[in-house]
Amino acid sequence: MAAELRTYRHDTDFDRVGDFLVETFGTSGGHINWLRPRWEYMHFHPLINQIDIDSIGIWESEGEILGVVHPEHSMGEAFFEVRPDHSHLKPEMLRYAEEWISVETKSGSRIEVWIDEEDAEFREILIGAEYVSKKRHDPMSFRSTGGISAEPVLPEGFRIQSLAEDDDLYKVHRLLWRGFGHGDEPVDDTEDGRALMGIEGRKLMGSAPNFRRDLNIVVVAPGGDFVSYCGMWIEPVHRLAYVEPVATDPDYRRMGLGRAAVLEGVRRCGLEGATEACVGSTMPFYLSMGFEKRYGSELWSREW
Ligand SMILES: CC(C)(COP(=O)(O)OP(=O)(O)OC[C@H]1O[C@@H](n2cnc3c(N)ncnc32)[C@H](O)[C@@H]1OP(=O)(O)O)[C@@H](O)C(=O)NCCC(=O)NCCS
């Protein structure tokens, strides 16, 4: 039966797409779909209000999802999730992204698409459609959850705990605000209209169905401020821990706090059955902890 295209319906499709990603996740080369936790993180991220959720397209046949095209944190950037035996849908999915996920520019329209670096088939489709490589890569790195001491190494006076012990959203917000370079002190989200960029956004993230306060690690400075953060998500079927987000307050960098937070998060996921942890990065910070790149995606763009 032919694949039918329809618009994503959050209430009924969020979990179904999640299950589809779990079922089709694989690291054997060719096209690799997103990990399920990234899909969840996207939907409960403060930037979710920057995208048009109705732009997500689903290809389905007899109740089985065959493919999904969607943005992440902004319009103009598309991602493709495809059932491995339905890669013939890719050209149609690309046209869909051009129509529904592209953004307007001064001279017309633009779409950027992420494809797996090993997906020669998709690359040929893009070249044929006059896309150009942006020479930007989005790597995924892995390490074992084993071999981590239960006694994190921290400077004197600092301690490590999880949000299960203290879920102070202002402290979390201040740390992530400063850690991701938004400014010195967080603005009142209601004042500048970016409703989800403040405490409300942190509440949203904490409301994700698989958000685990006991796996969201913070390092606490002697004065009580949260100064380093590591969020962790577990995907139990593939026994994976997914690291997101990670940040250290700029005033407390290169003190080993980020490393302590990430390793503690990874260790706790190991106790929960995860055998490997993964992160969308090849920063020296992660490589220094033993993460190694396993696969990645690359960005292509077309303007018309
Ligand atoms: C990346 C980040 C979390 C590191 O936090 P941190 O607490 O300063 O890191 P640590 O002190 O634990 O660093 C541990 C090791 O990682 C490596 N490392 C950390 N920062 C590094 C940098 N800027 N350049 C090169 N290596 C670095 C070093 O090997 C370091 O050990 P060393 O200081 O003994 O040389 C922090 O710089 C940050 O918040 N950046 C902005 C947000 C971000 O990029 N998050 C990650 C997104 S996936």
Side-chain angles (χ1 to χ4, degrees):
M1 208 179 151
E4 282 181 21
L5 167 63
R6 65 172 176 79
T7 302
Y8 173 77
R9 292 185 293 263
H10 185 75
D11 288 353
T12 47
D13 287 329
F14 175 71
D15 282 333
R16 289 188 65 231
V17 173
D19 292 344
F20 162 73
L21 294 176
V22 170
E23 188 194 333
T24 55
F25 180 70
T27 55
S28 56
H31 183 87
I32 296 175
N33 289 338
W34 266 16
L35 277 160
R36 189 199 183 285
R38 185 168 176 183
W39 173 251
E40 182 165 346
Y41 188 71
M42 161 192 155
H43 285 271
F44 291 85
H45 189 279
L47 290 176
I48 189 67
N49 63 349
Q50 304 295 307
I51 68 161
D52 174 9
I53 209 85
D54 288 340
S55 70
I56 301 176
I58 294 189
W59 280 256
E60 209 172 32
S61 175
E62 297 177 348
E64 184 177 67
I65 295 178
L66 307 176
V68 184
V69 177
H70 59 89
E72 187 178 31
H73 299 314
S74 60
M75 297 305 290
E77 242 183 298
F79 299 81
F80 303 86
E81 319 298 343
V82 196
R83 193 170 284 280
D85 53 356
H86 282 75
S87 59
H88 61 274
L89 291 174
K90 287 172 187 168
E92 191 181 329
M93 294 172 94
L94 186 64
R95 284 194 297 276
Y96 177 91
E98 291 170 352
E99 184 170 358
W100 296 102
I101 302 183
S102 59
V103 284
E104 284 182 17
T105 63
K106 281 185 193 141
S107 50
S109 302
R110 183 185 67 240
I111 183 72
E112 296 188 322
V113 299
W114 288 98
I115 67 159
D116 193 285
E117 289 166 356
E118 303 293 321
D119 194 339
E121 180 189 39
F122 215 153
R123 193 177 303 126
E124 286 309 310
I125 294 169
L126 294 181
I127 291 168
E130 298 183 335
Y131 277 70
V132 290
S133 168
K134 300 294 284 183
K135 311 225 180 298
R136 258 184 66 198
H137 294 262
D138 183 16
M140 191 61 82
S141 305
F142 290 71
R143 68 150 279 163
S144 149
T145 55
I148 301 172
S149 165
E151 304 289 334
V153 182
L154 287 171
E156 203 179 325
F158 289 77
R159 64 180 199 279
I160 202 158
Q161 61 189 39
S162 75
L163 297 188
E165 286 139 284
D166 180 4
D167 191 13
D168 186 322
L169 285 185
Y170 178 76
K171 288 184 182 176
V172 170
H173 176 49
R174 182 173 186 273
L175 161 58
L176 295 178
W177 178 271
R178 288 167 59 81
F180 284 106
H182 295 299
D184 286 343
E185 294 304 322
V187 295
D188 179 347
D189 49 341
T190 53
E191 269 175 26
D192 77 349
R194 289 185 290 175
L196 294 178
M197 287 307 290
I199 302 284
E200 290 306 314
R202 307 305 167 202
K203 277 189 196 157
L204 175 69
M205 201 175 280
S207 71
N210 294 295
F211 185 86
R212 292 270 306 265
R213 278 171 182 70
D214 58 333
L215 297 180
N216 276 257
I217 308 297
V218 290
V219 176
V220 186
D225 284 344
F226 292 175
V227 291
S228 193
Y229 190 97
C230 174
M232 300 291 303
W233 306 78
I234 288 191
E235 200 276 71
V237 174
H238 294 95
R239 303 180 73 182
L240 285 172
Y242 181 68
V243 181
E244 183 81 275
V246 173
T248 297
D249 186 299
D251 289 346
Y252 292 86
R253 290 199 180 149
R254 297 309 281 264
M255 295 172 65
L257 306 183
R259 174 199 295 261
V262 171
L263 290 180
E264 178 60 9
V266 170
R267 188 186 73 84
R268 290 190 188 200
C269 290
L271 296 177
E272 298 271 328
T275 54
E276 283 193 302
C278 55
V279 65
S281 175
T282 46
M283 288 166 79
F285 170 65
Y286 292 109
L287 302 184
S288 79
M289 281 180 266
F291 283 90
E292 286 177 8
K293 180 182 167 185
R294 188 166 297 166
Y295 63 93
S297 47
E298 58 187 27
L299 188 65
W300 290 71
S301 172
R302 183 182 161 225
E303 297 200 21
W304 66 97

